[in-house]
Amino acid sequence: MIPNTIHTWQMTEPGKLRRTEIPVPELKPGEALVEVRGCGVCHTDLSYFYMGVPTIQKPPLTLGHEIAGVVVAGGSRLLGREVIVPAVLPCGTCEICRMGRGNRCLNQKMPGNSMGIYGGFASHIPVPARDLCVVHERRGVPLEHLSVVADAVTTPYQAAKRANLQPGDLVIVIGAAGGVGSFMTQTAKGMGAKAVIGIDINEEKLEFMKGYGADFTIDPKGKSAKDVKELFKGFCKEQGLPANYGWKIFEVTGSKAGQELALSLLSFVGTLVIVGYGTDETSYMLSKLMAFDAEIIGTWGCPPSAYPRVLDMCVDGRIVLEPFVETRPMSRIEQVFEEAHHGQLRKRVVLIPDF
Ligand SMILES: [Zn+2]
Ligand SMILES: [Zn+2]
C-alpha cells in the first residue's frame, strides 16, 4: 500500500535523533518505493552519529543502509516483491562501473549517507529499482534478518572475491567473531576454504564461531605476535598444512594491533585483504611483498550484481544469520545506538519499523 506520509528517525545533528514525518516523494523514472521491514544497525551509522565522521548529505538525514523490505510502488515488475536494498548503489555508467568495479564507483549512492537518498531507519524508502536484489525464496529465513545481507554479509563476500578465494584455500580471519568478521568466517568456509583460522579478542564469541566456520581459534589477548605465530604453526603441523605459504588473510578489525598481526602472518604467495577501517598508521617493510610474491588488497562494499549469490548462501545454510542477528522495534533506536556505541550488543541489531 502506498502510504500518505513517510515516517523516519532523522539524525538532526550528530548525537541527536528525532522522529519525524516527510511527504512521500514523487518517484522518478526507474525508482521503486520500498516499505522497510528491517534495517540493520552498522558501525558506520555509529561513526556518523557519535564520532563526527561526516555524511555526504548534511543532517538532517535518515541513517541506515542495511535494508530489506517490500516494493509497494514503482518498479512495476517488482511490485509486491521482497527485496534487499544494496548498501552501495553504483551509477552504472561511469568508467569505473564499466570496468566492472562499480562497488567503488565515485558517483555511487549509499542510503543514509549520499545526496538524494535517505536511509532505512524509516517506514519507506525510494530507491533505484535496477539494483534491488529480489528475494525469490527464503526457506523460513525471516525477511528482516536478510537486511544484514546488505553490507554485513556482502562485504565479506566481495572481500573473498577480491582474494580470489577458491575451494581448498587456507584462510585466516582477524576479527573473526565481530559483526562483519563472523560473516567473513562463515563466508570463507561456505565458499569452500579447507581451513579457517579465526582470531579475535572476544574469547566467548570466538569459541562460538567454532560452530560457524572456524576450524581453529586464537585469542591474541596478552600474546605477542610471536606467541600467536607459534599457535598458528602448531595447528598447521597438526593438520599437515603449510605454515609459511599460501594463506589468505582477511583483516576485519581495522585496528593497528589487528593489522600488525595480519602483516606478521603474511607469507609466501599469500594474500592480505584489508576489510576493516581504522585511522592508525602501520609500518611494514614493503619489500617483503616482493620477496614473498605476496599481495595486499583493499576492498570496498560489494557490487549489487553479487547480491543474489550471497542471498543464496544465506538461504541454503552455508551462511547462518539467525544466531548473529536480533530484532528490536525501531522506536528503541536511541537505546540501541547507545548500547551499540558502548559495545553492549551481542548480536547485530535489525530495527523493525513500528511507527
Ligand atoms: Zn555498514
Ligand atoms: Zn559509476
Side-chain angles (χ1 to χ4, degrees), residues 40-45 64-66 87 110 150-152 155 180 348:
V41 176
C42 174
H43 190 75
T44 307
D45 297 314
H65 54 267
E66 293 191 351
M110 180 182 178
D151 207 19
T155 294
V180 173
R348 202 167 187 88

Side-chain angles (χ1 to χ4, degrees), residues 211-264:
Y212 298 93
D215 297 296
F216 181 66
T217 59
I218 301 172
D219 175 2
K221 217 174 19 283
K223 297 185 183 79
S224 67
K226 197 162 166 274
D227 295 339
V228 173
K229 247 181 175 165
E230 285 309 314
L231 290 168
F232 164 68
K233 279 185 191 161
F235 170 76
C236 291
K237 196 169 175 197
E238 188 188 294
Q239 300 292 316
L241 301 170
N244 64 339
Y245 68 87
W247 288 83
K248 292 181 176 172
I249 305 165
F250 297 88
E251 207 303 306
V252 190
T253 71
S255 70
K256 189 173 167 71
Q259 291 176 346
E260 283 175 350
L261 181 57
L263 288 165
S264 76

Side-chain angles (χ1 to χ4, degrees), residues 10-50:
Q10 277 187 335
M11 174 173 80
T12 51
E13 58 184 281
K16 284 208 176 108
L17 281 163
R18 182 184 62 189
R19 199 179 132 160
T20 186
E21 290 179 19
I22 54 175
V24 181
E26 182 117 17
L27 293 179
K28 296 187 202 82
E31 275 191 340
L33 186 68
V34 173
E35 182 183 282
V36 178
R37 292 293 173 83
C39 183
V41 176
C42 174
H43 190 75
T44 307
D45 297 314
L46 303 176
S47 67
Y48 297 142
F49 193 71
Y50 289 105

